[in-house]
Amino acid sequence: MTNIRKSTLQHVKKVIIKIGSAVLTGEDGLDLQIIEQLVDEIAELTKQGYQIVVVTSGAIASGKHRMGISGPLKSMPQKQAAAAIGQGRLMRVYSNAFGKHGIYTAQILLTMSDLTDRKRFLNIRNTLSTLTEWGVIAVINENDTVAVDEIKFGDNDHLAAMIANITEAHLLINLTSTEGLYDKNPALSKNAKVISLVTEITEEIEEAATADTTSVGMGGMKSKVIAARKVTAFGIPYIIAPGKEKGILHAVIAGKDKGTLFLPMSEHLTSRKCWIAFTLRSRGKLIIDEGARTAICEHGKSLLPSGIIGVEGNFDVGDPVTCVDQNGLSLAKGLANYGSQEIQKIMGLKSSKIEQVLGHKDYDEVIHRDNMAVEK
Ligand code: GLU
């Protein structure tokens, strides 16, 4: 086991470390001792040549504590206000802790809509790589003050997964308040064991992840496993590990048998296709016939108008759409070369007829292969 870990992690240099609220907060708000312990380790790893980006929670928990609120926050505006209060303090704590090692930090606050725009996505990548070049640690959180519903990541597990994609990281370590992913719910079963290695995210693995959250965190184990699916699809190994344990980062990076390692998928998607598959929200559906399904899913082909038998939703050129089979099973997601109204007119036809029907033809394909991520 340890050998698989060692060989998987041997060339790791760029590491995303996600630190959950349940790790960072104690009864008195932020747990400064744990933060210092983790920062000491990160500083040491940085000095050894690792390039580290931190994704941190803890703003809401810290703000709540500052306001003397003990129960759960009732409304979204209350959570947003608490985050606005807590984020500054969270950053100051990180900045002081890294400062002791002569390392500067940079605050980055993001929403989902920052990532769905390809230009902004690339801008974030450039900023992060410059910070890394300068030896500055980026400390990233969701911009809770502005993020609601459509533009919200939902939890920092998802945000960290997206950052792993943006930076093309070699490893994502998700530090939590548990030992890792258990085979059964440890709260209900005494003989629950930590699963050390996950080679494939099967239904059993998904069932093992309970949605129960701690009182301070947001995602729970379920969202950590959903994030694992994304990260491993990017070709990046993913480890869920106990964040309060002293020396945990060194142990994990050295390939010690700690927490749960999810192996990367051998056939992974390119960064751009991951962006299409996991970042963009679909604006409509194209129902495709069996011939098109085989062409796309088995032969790596583009989607032509001839294979489309139905269009749902109102979308424009360039919008992300989902390709589904006749039973509604989702097969692929991609960027449409034609809007929904145009596709209504050309579906079922040969590409050579596009110009005759629409009066123009910019592309033969409705979705080009390069802009499509296949799921099945
Ligand atoms: N962004 C939230 C915070 O900093 C936490 C989200 C999460 O725990 O996933 O408080």
Side-chain angles (χ1 to χ4, degrees):
M1 187 72 70
T2 312
N3 283 342
I4 298 185
R5 286 201 177 222
K6 281 209 169 120
S7 58
T8 307
L9 303 175
Q10 64 184 335
H11 298 302
V12 163
K13 197 169 169 213
K14 240 186 275 177
V15 186
I16 311 300
I17 298 174
K18 187 254 163 179
I19 314 177
S21 303
V23 175
L24 292 177
T25 48
E27 276 175 13
D28 303 319
L30 292 177
D31 183 340
L32 301 187
Q33 213 184 326
I34 286 288
I35 298 180
E36 289 215 357
Q37 178 177 305
L38 286 169
V39 166
D40 288 350
E41 265 208 272
I42 295 171
E44 177 61 32
L45 289 166
T46 308
K47 284 178 187 144
Q48 289 171 12
Y50 290 97
Q51 299 172 346
I52 294 178
V53 169
V54 173
V55 176
T56 186
S57 305
I60 295 176
S62 166
K64 219 174 89 173
H65 180 258
R66 181 131 288 194
M67 295 311 291
I69 303 168
S70 52
L73 292 170
K74 291 187 193 77
S75 64
M76 185 57 90
Q78 285 190 351
K79 287 183 192 156
Q80 294 178 292
I85 297 161
Q87 179 63 31
R89 175 160 161 75
L90 183 66
M91 247 354 260
R92 193 168 66 247
V93 169
Y94 274 110
S95 160
N96 288 346
F98 276 109
K100 288 187 189 154
H101 300 272
I103 296 174
Y104 292 122
T105 51
Q107 168 181 265
I108 297 187
L109 298 176
L110 297 172
T111 61
M112 190 71 173
S113 65
D114 294 322
L115 264 56
T116 50
D117 180 305
R118 185 76 185 158
K119 266 199 205 134
R120 289 205 217 170
F121 178 97
L122 296 173
N123 288 341
I124 298 163
R125 170 183 291 183
N126 293 339
T127 306
L128 287 172
S129 76
T130 306
L131 289 169
T132 303
E133 255 170 55
W134 287 352
V136 173
I137 302 279
V139 179
I140 306 176
N141 196 357
E142 178 155 21
N143 194 353
D144 292 305
T145 305
V146 299
V148 280
D149 301 333
E150 276 268 292
I151 60 166
K152 204 165 167 45
F153 288 107
D155 57 69
N156 278 6
D157 297 318
H158 181 47
L159 171 59
M162 293 302 126
I163 296 296
N165 178 29
I166 291 187
T167 55
E168 295 178 6
H170 305 144
L171 172 66
L172 169 54
I173 304 174
N174 192 332
L175 296 177
T176 75
S177 55
T178 70
E179 294 296 309
L181 176 66
Y182 284 88
D183 54 357
K184 303 182 192 75
N185 186 342
L188 304 176
S189 168
K190 267 195 189 149
N191 58 357
K193 282 195 206 69
V194 172
I195 305 169
S196 174
L197 186 72
V198 175
T199 47
E200 196 192 340
I201 302 173
T202 57
E203 269 175 33
E204 288 85 70
I205 294 294
E206 277 175 354
E207 274 165 26
T210 141
D212 290 347
T213 54
T214 57
S215 58
V216 278
M218 298 275 267
M221 209 31 97
K222 193 165 184 189
S223 92
K224 289 177 180 50
V225 172
I226 295 172
R229 194 178 272 295
K230 293 170 192 153
V231 177
T232 54
F234 305 155
I236 300 170
Y238 177 81
I239 295 178
I240 299 174
K244 288 192 191 261
E245 192 175 310
K246 213 165 184 202
I248 188 65
L249 294 173
H250 281 94
V252 157
I253 290 175
K256 299 250 167 69
D257 197 7
K258 291 272 176 201
T260 305
L261 167 64
F262 294 76
L263 290 183
M265 276 161 54
S266 45
E267 276 185 33
H268 53 263
L269 301 170
T270 61
S271 171
R272 180 177 162 77
K273 290 196 177 187
C274 286
W275 172 72
I276 293 171
F278 299 117
T279 313
L280 301 183
R281 274 178 221 273
S282 184
R283 299 277 166 216
K285 278 186 193 160
L286 297 175
I287 301 142
I288 64 174
D289 66 13
E290 182 51 26
R293 190 202 65 78
T294 317
I296 289 173
C297 301
E298 288 164 33
H299 303 300
K301 295 280 199 305
S302 298
L303 176 66
L304 302 175
S306 56
I308 302 174
I309 51 179
V311 188
E312 281 177 20
N314 238 322
F315 52 87
D316 289 322
V317 177
D319 278 345
V321 292
T322 309
C323 301
V324 299
D325 70 8
Q326 292 166 64
N327 301 318
L329 181 73
S330 167
L331 303 169
K333 199 185 314 168
L335 306 180
N337 282 336
Y338 294 93
S340 50
Q341 288 177 6
E342 289 177 327
I343 300 175
Q344 294 276 9
K345 293 182 190 147
I346 58 172
M347 67 185 195
L349 302 179
K350 290 216 153 54
S351 299
S352 55
K353 291 265 190 264
I354 295 177
E355 180 147 25
Q356 197 183 323
V357 175
L358 298 181
H360 65 93
K361 182 177 82 167
D362 299 321
Y363 304 92
D364 280 343
E365 314 82 14
V366 172
I367 303 178
H368 192 276
R369 189 70 196 176
D370 291 348
N371 294 325
M372 184 193 299
V374 176
E375 296 168 32
K376 297 276 183 266

